[in-house]
Amino acid sequence: MTQATDQAFYDRADAHIDLANQQIDTLADVGKVSASMTFAASRFSAWISARNFKSGAEMAAAREEIVKYFSDQYRMMLEDNVDEYIDQFDHYVLGKQR
């Protein structure tokens, strides 16, 4: 954990993951829950971006920058998490003790 990423960051992320896990328990469809969570993250990102502009035209001028920023952030986080799951596969997926 870097200094820029405090425990509250992980607590908020865990709250979203907990909700997704509850929905998986209810729906039993991981793909649909994953799609909804991805949509929600993208919708929220669009909303917080829009708050920084005075008009749709102004936002449209920054569209590529907005999409690149969030795409790069998602890719970086996804790569970090995939690498962690590769490294911890036996523990995370198979439930083996380290």
Side-chain angles (χ1 to χ4, degrees):
M1 176 169 38
T2 66
Q3 277 190 295
T5 307
D6 61 7
Q7 187 58 45
F9 171 89
Y10 293 105
D11 292 344
R12 288 187 302 272
D14 287 344
H16 292 285
I17 293 167
D18 288 344
L19 176 59
N21 287 334
Q22 290 171 22
Q23 292 175 345
I24 289 168
D25 290 343
T26 303
L27 297 173
D29 190 328
V30 176
K32 288 182 179 179
V33 174
S34 176
S36 295
M37 189 173 202
T38 302
F39 177 81
S42 68
R43 184 75 176 185
F44 186 76
S45 296
W47 177 74
I48 62 170
S49 297
R51 296 179 65 212
N52 293 312
F53 298 99
K54 292 183 169 103
S55 70
E58 186 180 328
M59 186 176 179
R63 182 185 186 281
E64 291 306 314
E65 182 181 341
I66 294 165
V67 171
K68 181 177 181 347
Y69 172 78
F70 285 106
S71 297
D72 289 349
Q73 291 296 304
Y74 181 83
R75 182 179 186 94
M76 179 185 65
M77 292 177 194
L78 179 60
E79 287 175 349
D80 287 348
N81 281 291
V82 167
D83 289 345
E84 182 178 345
Y85 266 79
I86 290 168
D87 185 53
Q88 299 293 325
F89 188 87
D90 287 351
H91 177 65
Y92 289 173
V93 178
L94 302 179
K96 294 179 181 178
Q97 296 300 317
R98 294 183 256 203

